[in-house]
Amino acid sequence: MVAFAFAPPPASPEAERLRAEIREFLASELRGRSARARAGSWGSRDPEFSRKMGARGWIGMTWPKRYGGHERTALERYVVLEEVLAAGAPMGAHWVADRQSGPLLLRFGTEEQRQSILPRIAAGECYFCIGMSEPDSGSDLAATRTRAVPVQGGFLVNGTKIWTSNAHQCHYVILFCRTELATGADRHAGMSQFLVDLSLPGITIRPIRDLAGEHHFNEVVFEDVFLPASSLIGALGAGWRQVTSELAYERSGPERFLSTYVLLVELLRALGSQPSERAAIAAGRLTAHIIILRRLSRSVAGMLQAGEDPALQAALVKDLGTTLEQEIPEVARLLIESGSRPTDSYEAVLAHAIMRAPSFSIRGGTREILRGIVARGLGVR
Ligand SMILES: Cc1cc2nc3c(=O)[nH]c(=O)nc-3n(C[C@H](O)[C@H](O)[C@H](O)COP(=O)(O)OP(=O)(O)OC[C@H]3O[C@@H](n4cnc5c(N)ncnc54)[C@H](O)[C@@H]3O)c2cc1C
């Protein structure tokens, strides 16, 4: 009956040695950074910080040295990531490239693409966004309509992508689109992925403001954009298989349960050393859940390191993790109402979390979709 398991992650003394190093770096880099600024988590960007991370060898950590990587383990990478997230460092500029675009190019890209792009990502100087969702295609990615039509020397692209996070501040998008019209029963056939330079003529990036009035989303319109044949990633028509292989990277990391970690820390600070019994129980429960999620998420890192495909486990980690990320502001809000004494800083961090929490269970695959994947894995669907 049990269709999947979470094996304990292997012990990693090297990773623990690295922890001391990254903590020292973060303490110095983030000195004086307010709790509110730290609450931005992986949504906040600072190219200067990304370059420093690159110089320390903390981007592209697991990639081969010949592509600018550092040939370290997935668990070493995990330690860097969780420390950076827990500290609330502004790592958003290099984040998507490090997490999924680089690994995708490493796995499916041409030698030319790897050599020209990966060292720049690892240096913290080259930023990527994800071109999957469209106005009528979010959860149902197979409904993608953006089309790349083969022409002399390459492809001509027309279509619109939406919710493209930080496209206005990135160098490249990994475009997921149709290279053949859908015919027959296989809706997943005829999809391909392209490496697209966002400065190409015919690409228009328009801002979309979120609930908090901030600009990170975009609509990206492609009008007769010519892509040279060398932009194709992997095999023509193999886009579906390739894109789904990105998802374990996208769904299992500590960013899927630490988005409101800074708020939890501020909550504990505000409750002080003599919390009410109710507050102590609530805070203890949230902390215990973080510990369990970390255990599950590190297990997925171990599976990735062993070359397995833990897509199912990753879906479960993301669903449980985003549920917790959303619960933290809710519990924090109720505890304030019950009489604790918030500071201005606590209230600012709480307000920030409340405005963003609804998106946690949408980005990277909605709750219902993830539960569908888990149900299928358990054989109940
Ligand atoms: C903060 C944030 C950042 C994002 N960044 C990017 C990005 O950089 N690049 C990118 O390509 N996209 C991005 N997205 C888009 C995101 O991946 C999509 O919003 C998501 O896939 C859902 O698609 P949709 O909005 O079209 O909703 P829909 O697919 O229309 O879903 C609407 C509702 O119906 C439910 N639903 C849909 N299908 C089913 C089903 N089969 N069974 C049960 N329930 C179902 C969903 O769970 C949801 O509750 C981002 C979204 C957010 C919130």
Side-chain angles (χ1 to χ4, degrees):
M1 166 62 188
V2 177
F4 57 93
F6 285 87
S12 178
E14 318 77 46
E16 292 313 313
R17 273 196 294 278
L18 192 54
R19 192 182 301 282
E21 207 185 312
I22 177 88
R23 279 192 178 169
E24 193 186 330
F25 167 80
L26 291 169
S28 137
E29 284 301 315
L30 305 182
R31 189 169 296 125
R33 192 171 167 84
S34 70
R36 169 61 190 82
R38 289 171 189 255
S41 186
W42 46 290
S44 59
R45 309 164 57 86
D46 176 357
E48 191 51 40
F49 178 79
S50 291
R51 275 190 281 272
K52 285 184 184 168
M53 288 283 290
R56 296 295 291 254
W58 292 333
I59 305 178
M61 286 179 71
T62 60
W63 308 347
K65 289 187 178 161
R66 66 181 183 284
Y67 301 126
H70 304 279
E71 300 184 6
R72 303 191 83 154
T73 64
L75 287 166
E76 286 178 292
R77 176 175 182 270
Y78 195 96
V79 161
V80 169
L81 214 55
E82 66 178 352
E83 290 296 332
V84 167
L85 285 163
M91 40 93 89
H94 65 266
W95 175 234
V96 166
D98 182 41
R99 179 184 68 188
Q100 74 194 83
S101 317
L104 181 85
L105 291 174
L106 196 58
R107 193 151 167 211
F108 301 109
T110 63
E111 192 51 29
E112 184 198 331
Q113 288 168 347
R114 292 181 192 150
Q115 284 188 11
S116 70
I117 303 286
L118 296 179
R120 287 159 57 208
I121 294 179
E125 291 173 351
C126 182
Y127 313 137
F128 273 68
C129 56
I130 303 167
M132 294 190 200
S133 306
E134 298 188 3
D136 296 313
S137 161
S139 304
D140 184 14
L141 194 57
T144 293
R145 284 199 306 222
T146 295
R147 208 86 212 253
V149 178
V151 293
Q152 181 70 29
F155 298 84
L156 210 55
V157 179
N158 281 284
T160 300
K161 293 289 169 183
I162 200 165
W163 315 126
T164 323
S165 300
N166 304 315
H168 60 303
Q169 295 168 314
C170 288
H171 303 97
Y172 294 94
V173 60
I174 302 278
L175 176 70
F176 178 80
C177 64
R178 282 210 160 272
T179 38
E180 277 172 56
L181 284 177
T183 51
D186 187 0
R187 299 173 70 228
H188 302 157
M191 303 288 198
S192 301
Q193 285 181 299
F194 293 90
L195 170 66
V196 181
D197 181 338
L198 283 163
S199 66
L200 285 176
I203 298 179
T204 308
I205 300 174
R206 297 196 191 108
I208 301 173
R209 299 214 169 261
D210 72 5
L211 174 70
E214 290 176 0
H215 171 204
H216 52 92
F217 284 138
N218 296 278
E219 179 184 58
V220 183
V221 182
F222 297 79
E223 288 168 298
D224 286 337
V225 177
F226 175 74
L227 300 181
S230 59
S231 317
L232 180 67
I233 300 170
L236 190 66
W240 187 267
R241 183 175 57 83
Q242 293 176 194
V243 85
T244 47
S245 79
E246 273 178 64
L247 298 178
Y249 292 98
E250 189 179 351
R251 292 181 173 160
S252 63
E255 76 277 16
R256 297 303 182 186
F257 60 92
L258 291 178
S259 301
T260 46
Y261 181 77
V262 170
L263 173 61
L264 179 59
V265 172
E266 290 304 307
L267 170 66
L268 298 180
R269 217 190 294 280
L271 292 175
S273 57
Q274 304 286 324
S276 67
E277 187 184 354
R278 177 171 172 253
I281 290 170
R285 187 172 164 275
L286 294 177
T287 311
H289 282 199
I290 291 235
I291 292 167
I292 299 297
L293 274 159
R294 177 171 183 267
R295 160 73 176 73
L296 297 177
S297 167
R298 276 166 50 82
S299 170
V300 176
M303 289 182 245
L304 288 172
Q305 188 166 303
E308 296 165 25
D309 178 13
L312 205 59
Q313 288 90 337
L316 193 68
V317 169
K318 181 176 182 287
D319 183 36
L320 294 172
T322 53
T323 300
L324 176 68
E325 290 181 330
Q326 289 177 332
E327 204 183 341
I328 290 172
E330 188 55 19
V331 170
R333 183 178 67 79
L334 294 174
L335 287 180
I336 276 199
E337 283 179 358
S338 73
S340 57
R341 298 229 181 104
T343 60
D344 286 352
S345 158
Y346 175 67
E347 290 202 328
V349 174
L350 176 62
H352 180 274
I354 287 174
M355 297 287 257
R356 275 149 200 84
S359 74
F360 299 162
S361 55
I362 301 174
R363 61 186 183 186
T366 65
R367 173 165 290 143
E368 291 74 18
I369 296 302
L370 297 171
R371 290 186 181 175
I373 294 171
V374 173
R376 192 178 295 125
L378 285 171
V380 295
R381 179 178 167 226

